[in-house]
Amino acid sequence: MIQTVVSVELPVDEKLRIQKNRLGPVDPDGTEKRIAIVTGTHGDELEGQLVCYELIRRLKAEPENLRGIVDIYPALNPLGIDSISRGIPMFDLDMNRIFPGNEEGPMMEAVVHRLMEDLKGADLCVDLHASNIFLMELPQVRINEISAKQLIPLGEKLNVDFVWVHGSATVLESTLAYSLNKLGTPTLVVEMGVGMRITREYGCRLVEGILNLMHEMGIWTGEVGEIRKPIISTDYQVEYLNADYAGIYLPHVQIGQKVRKGQLLGEILDPLTGTVEQKVEAPVDGLLFTRREYPVVYSGSLLGRILGGRKE
């Protein structure tokens, strides 16, 4: 059932309308658990669109196996998706930096407050993100260490490559996930793919992971595909690869590839002089889980990340 969560009048006879699709069991008894799938907070992150479509398709195909409530929010920032803007156009705002909002505040703060009211109380929320146009990310769950004890066992079931636990000092308190976790609604953040594109393999894998979580929660009784066991980053170093020079970055390895210390990962080229400005080598053995996709780089640009050796 399609429901409008927020509707706000805009200039020139337009509306900001945020909708969700609620799917539930054929014969509900009022005790069902609820999972919320949200995406589209940033208008240039489209990977979640396929996940929403495919998940709804699967659930509609086997309604007899649905035992709980599934709320799917494909576009928290519909204006951003319509205009291919990362933030909220006209307001020059990053939507994921104004949660939990304020009922009496400016328009967008009131909008995110109403979203929070609709989401809170779910038994689980999965917040889907893609990378930007510059980077490709392997499917991963990102968790802050404040909530790690509760969320790591859930993240392990989502069919991702690894779970990245961040230090509390890096946590942005104005995000949807932080705000919901603080209110007691367990929320997992998924990052995968690249901005402005859809990676079919990643989307289909995540759908299996969501169904697996739903099966664990008693919301889904249908079949679930093979689920991979992720690496947990708490025991491993994350190494960053940055450019030392400006130029054109040409990667030599594929994302998801296991690399060896000293292996050539890519080169920064100078098209004017025909020279190689920097040979980018792996500082450690490990898994390349982030790779630069946009070729123009400057000194300091992020070229990739490697999940490396065990922490001492």
Side-chain angles (χ1 to χ4, degrees), residues 16 32 34 51 54 97 169 197 224 248 261 269 288 301:
L16 166 61
E32 290 79 15
R34 175 165 67 106
V51 175
E54 184 64 14
R97 300 294 183 271
R197 299 291 184 271
V224 176
I248 300 298
K261 182 177 180 179
L269 314 177
L288 184 71
S301 293

Side-chain angles (χ1 to χ4, degrees), residues 159-175:
N159 203 25
V160 296
D161 288 284
F162 81 106
V163 176
W164 189 359
V165 181
H166 288 264
S168 58
T170 65
V171 173
L172 295 171
E173 297 185 4
S174 54
T175 63

